[in-house]
């Protein structure tokens, strides 16, 4: 029915109930009653909601906004506890939203990328959505901790260079996307990003911060290039699909078998 329920920490208004209370059980967000919610995205202390509507501009933000991650005002705001419309998407049909840390991003039906929130590298914060200057058309975006990585169009652009331990290329300052090394011949069907590690789906490849074993490679080492993850003999060679989800220091893989 497109209803939204939230629970957990509400101290920045990120639950959207018009207050700053926390809830230990799911509570329906009354603002979206009688509206059909298509997607939600959760950052560290803010939330995004995209309504299912042909006009494509019904995108809302609530929670912490001090770095501009809500995109609802030309001025800096500490927080809001109820959904407010995000500016800058008149006549733009948004089809995908994502959030992580103090960043937000959206993709349009035309493959255009928009980002807002905490600045990348030396750039200043964006208080409203900014369209990427890249001429590429994007199909998926994943926000990592302070960096933006993409797959889509003609680029497979997650930056993963064994010679670089500090990633320094950002779309916001016009840098050219780099192809991820070590993925030649691999069909990438989806991407995921955690706080400091990244994964792709098709053949499961993963890299980045490994201190807590979140890479699933049997060690706690960091990896600067994509490594293959095994789900065990019981699933190898069987038809099906797999989805990967990256948290801050942990990873989930869900395997669905074909009958």
């Amino acid at each position: 029915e497109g209803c939204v329920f939230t629970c957990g920490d509400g101290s920045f208004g990120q639950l959207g109930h018009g207050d700053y209370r926390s809830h230990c059980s799911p509570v329906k967000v009354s603002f979206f009653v009688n509206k059909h919610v298509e997607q939600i995205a959760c950052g560290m202390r803010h939330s995004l909601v995209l309504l299912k509507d042909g006009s494509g501009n019904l995108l809302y933000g609530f929670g912490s906004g001090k770095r501009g991650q809500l995109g609802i005002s030309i001025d800096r705001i500490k927080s809001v506890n109820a959904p407010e419309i995000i500016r800058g998407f008149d006549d733009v049909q948004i089809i995908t939203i994502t959030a992580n840390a103090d960043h937000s991003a959206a993709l349009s039906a035309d493959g255009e990328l928009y980002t807002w929130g905490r600045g990348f590298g030396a750039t200043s914060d964006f208080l409203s959505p900014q369209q990427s200057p890249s001429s590429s058309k994007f199909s998926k975006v994943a926000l990592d901790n302070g960096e933006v990585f993409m797959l889509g169009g003609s680029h497979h652009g997650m930056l993963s260079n064994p010679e670089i331990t500090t990633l320094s290329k950002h779309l916001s300052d016009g840098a050219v996307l780099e192809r991820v090394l070590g993925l030649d011949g691999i069909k990438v069907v989806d991407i995921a990003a955690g706080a400091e590690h990244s994964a792709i789906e098709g053949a499961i490849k993963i890299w980045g911060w490994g201190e807590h074993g979140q890479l699933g490679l049997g060690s706690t080492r960091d990896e600067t290039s994509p490594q293959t993850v095994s789900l065990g003999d019981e699933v190898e060679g069987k038809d099906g699909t797999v989805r990967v989800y990256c948290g801050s220091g942990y990873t989930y893989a869900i395997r669905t078998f074909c009958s």
Side-chain angles (χ1 to χ4, degrees), residues 142-145 147-151 155-167 178-184 186-230 244-251:
L143 292 176
D144 207 336
N145 187 23
E147 310 290 333
V148 177
F149 306 99
M150 284 87 199
L151 290 177
H155 291 85
H156 287 215
M158 285 191 176
L159 303 178
S160 174
N161 188 332
E163 299 178 357
I164 302 175
T165 57
T166 301
L167 302 178
E178 284 189 8
R179 177 181 291 273
V180 179
L181 301 181
L183 298 180
D184 292 343
I186 295 174
K187 181 180 180 180
V188 177
V189 298
D190 211 342
I191 61 177
E196 296 182 63
H197 71 296
S198 306
I200 64 170
E201 300 167 23
I204 303 178
K205 297 280 188 176
I206 199 164
W207 64 96
W209 180 37
E211 179 182 358
H212 302 290
Q214 64 264 46
L215 301 185
L217 300 172
S219 72
T220 56
R221 296 193 307 269
D222 296 345
E223 297 289 348
T224 57
S225 61
Q227 305 296 317
T228 301
V229 179
S230 172
V244 178
Y245 303 87
C246 297
S248 177
Y250 59 95
T251 307

Side-chain angles (χ1 to χ4, degrees), residues 26-125:
V27 178
K28 183 183 290 188
V29 181
S30 60
F31 182 89
F32 296 112
V33 171
N34 300 322
K35 299 179 177 67
H36 189 106
V37 172
E38 180 77 3
Q39 293 180 37
I40 57 176
C42 300
M44 182 164 57
R45 299 185 183 94
H46 75 290
S47 304
L48 308 178
V49 171
L50 176 66
L51 296 190
K52 184 177 183 179
D53 187 277
S55 65
N57 64 344
L58 297 180
L59 179 57
Y60 292 85
F62 45 99
S64 175
K66 67 178 183 178
R67 303 303 296 268
Q69 63 265 46
L70 296 183
I72 63 175
S73 172
I74 60 174
D75 300 315
R76 292 185 182 274
I77 54 176
K78 183 178 180 180
S79 64
V80 296
N81 56 25
E84 294 192 20
I85 196 79
I86 294 177
R87 305 164 50 253
F89 290 122
D90 294 339
D91 302 321
V92 177
Q93 184 181 359
I94 297 300
I95 59 172
T96 301
I97 57 174
T98 188
N100 196 350
D102 297 326
H103 305 101
S104 301
L107 290 177
S108 74
D110 296 329
E112 300 293 342
L113 169 67
Y114 297 82
T115 59
W116 61 101
R118 183 160 66 91
F120 304 112
T123 61
S124 59
D125 297 346

